[in-house]
Amino acid sequence: MRVLTVNAGSSSLKLAVLAGDEALAAEELEVSGDGLDEDRLAEALRGMDGIDAVGHRVVHGGHHLTGPVRVDARIREELGALVDLAPLHQPKSLRALDAVGRALPGVPAVACFDTAFFAGLPAGAATYALPREWRERYGLRRFGFHGLSHAWASSRAAQLAGGRAGSRVVVAHLGSGCSLSAVVDGRAVDTTMGFTPLEGLVMGTRSGTVDPGLLLWLEEHEGIPPREVADSLEHRSGLLGLCGTADMREVLRRAAGRDADAALALDTWVHRVVTGVGAMAAAAGGLDVLVFTGGVGERAAPVRRLVAARLEFLGVRVDDDANDLADGGTDADIGAGDARVLVVRAREDVEIARQVRQVLGG
């Protein structure tokens, strides 16, 4: 079965055709503020022969869509009803789903959810300590995100580590968006993102976790409207808010040149990752394997070195030579301590294709 995987991002649409785990064709289309150019999409798809099925990355599956599902009119309607839970991401996924459906009529489509990997979190990890009536009326819980990446990276890590050696895995998905997960025997038991992708680590433009009382203070005492607070937390915080750039490469360059703002940004970012890994290891009952994935995790050897240096108490150490050589876009073992330390190339496309075959029986 040849599966077309469709990954809609904020400014691009990634397409790939996979037979097994092998990519036969791939293309990335720019997406402007006006939306997706369907003529350009149709042209790209004409160059991708023999598509048997389509798998779409969809950010939010809500409470009921907790695994991959074939898209029909009812499912499409349900996905549309979830836009309020992910207003920045869900509409992009749905525009891509509709556009590809028009370009490939009759080809079965499967929605694969970023939240699904975390749907089975233990109750203690999924629950907010909020009034019962809020939790029940509004469905408030920790959903978790980046699940397709965490699912692939944890399964690949277990494969590379071999058997029981990889049973307690912490995945660090580090890019413009950042999250951690704790995975025991293939099952997620905790993660850093919550009801929205704002919770958790410091990110490129997103704040990560802040005291909710601070936000209430800004609204009540300074009169900042909720919409402005939300926009600032999503688009003007994180590394950008700390030092004026969301690009980790620039942060590293400036920090090495003793730029005080960049040094603070890097230290804050690393601190949150390190303390987060400690929390995930506690949730997993220990640490056998630490996995770095995502754009920063895969391609920033200095970042991996800084994080590992503060995790030696968990048996994490990196071989400096192996770490420096691991920025080439291939999976690598860079560990030199008791815990395995792996760099795993993000392959959401492979995870999506596998889930499509699972649903369609291919």
Side-chain angles (χ1 to χ4, degrees):
M1 179 184 289
R2 292 190 176 196
V3 179
L4 169 69
T5 63
V6 181
N7 189 336
S10 57
S11 60
S12 67
L13 183 70
K14 296 178 181 178
L15 307 170
V17 177
L18 280 77
D21 293 349
E22 180 185 359
L24 305 178
E27 188 157 354
E28 185 169 349
L29 307 179
E30 290 186 6
V31 178
S32 69
D34 298 330
L36 181 62
D37 184 338
E38 293 200 28
D39 291 336
R40 181 72 187 88
L41 172 64
E43 179 184 345
L45 293 177
R46 280 194 292 272
M48 299 177 172
D49 296 329
I51 296 171
D52 300 306
V54 182
H56 290 268
R57 175 185 173 235
V58 179
V59 168
H60 218 305
H63 291 275
H64 306 299
L65 300 175
T66 58
V69 61
R70 184 166 179 171
V71 179
D72 57 19
R74 180 183 63 82
I75 293 296
R76 175 61 181 82
E77 183 178 359
E78 190 164 348
L79 294 176
L82 296 172
V83 166
D84 284 347
L85 289 177
L88 298 178
H89 304 89
Q90 198 85 344
K92 298 179 177 68
S93 299
L94 298 185
R95 281 196 293 269
L97 190 153
D98 293 340
V100 173
R102 286 189 288 269
L104 298 174
V107 177
V110 174
C112 305
F113 302 101
D114 260 338
T115 51
F117 188 58
F118 302 112
L121 286 178
T127 303
Y128 286 114
L130 296 170
R132 178 187 294 272
E133 61 267 26
W134 286 13
R135 289 183 279 118
E136 293 180 351
R137 181 184 304 173
Y138 306 119
L140 304 180
R141 60 156 286 168
R142 301 185 68 246
F143 286 105
F145 298 87
H146 293 151
L148 292 167
S149 176
H150 285 282
W152 165 254
S154 58
S155 65
R156 178 65 174 149
Q159 181 184 40
L160 292 170
R164 293 293 301 173
S167 63
R168 299 174 299 180
V169 179
V170 172
V171 176
H173 175 103
L174 306 175
S176 58
C178 300
S179 62
L180 305 172
S181 67
V183 182
V184 178
D185 294 330
R187 175 175 174 260
V189 297
D190 206 352
T191 188
T192 51
M193 285 182 168
F195 183 71
T196 75
L198 265 176
E199 188 177 355
L201 306 181
V202 174
M203 304 176 222
T205 66
R206 282 177 265 176
S207 63
T209 298
V210 296
D211 180 355
L214 180 154
L215 304 179
L216 293 172
W217 184 88
L218 288 172
E219 293 179 4
E220 293 178 0
H221 291 272
E222 298 303 312
I224 300 178
R227 186 178 297 275
E228 182 179 340
V229 171
D231 181 70
S232 296
L233 294 175
E234 288 279 0
H235 303 296
R236 299 197 293 120
S237 298
L239 293 175
L240 181 66
L242 288 168
C243 69
T245 179
D247 189 330
M248 180 58 80
R249 294 167 297 186
E250 179 68 11
V251 174
L252 289 168
R253 186 189 67 78
R254 286 170 46 189
R258 300 190 178 184
D259 179 295
D261 287 343
L264 174 62
L266 182 60
D267 187 48
T268 304
W269 189 96
V270 169
H271 175 80
R272 294 290 186 87
V273 173
V274 168
T275 56
V277 170
M280 293 299 107
L287 178 67
D288 298 313
V289 186
L290 174 62
V291 183
F292 290 97
T293 191
V296 175
E298 294 173 42
R299 300 183 182 89
V303 166
R304 296 192 296 265
R305 187 177 298 110
L306 286 169
V307 170
R310 294 175 56 182
L311 291 172
E312 288 198 21
F313 74 98
L314 288 174
V316 173
R317 292 180 59 201
V318 297
D319 179 282
D320 286 337
D321 291 336
N323 185 45
D324 289 339
L325 292 171
D327 287 351
T330 58
D331 298 343
D333 188 336
I334 62 171
D338 293 335
R340 300 288 293 273
V341 184
L342 303 175
V343 179
V344 171
R345 182 183 171 200
R347 291 300 306 272
E348 291 172 316
D349 57 339
V350 174
E351 182 65 27
I352 291 169
R354 289 181 176 183
Q355 292 188 14
V356 170
R357 296 186 186 103
Q358 171 191 332
V359 170
L360 300 180

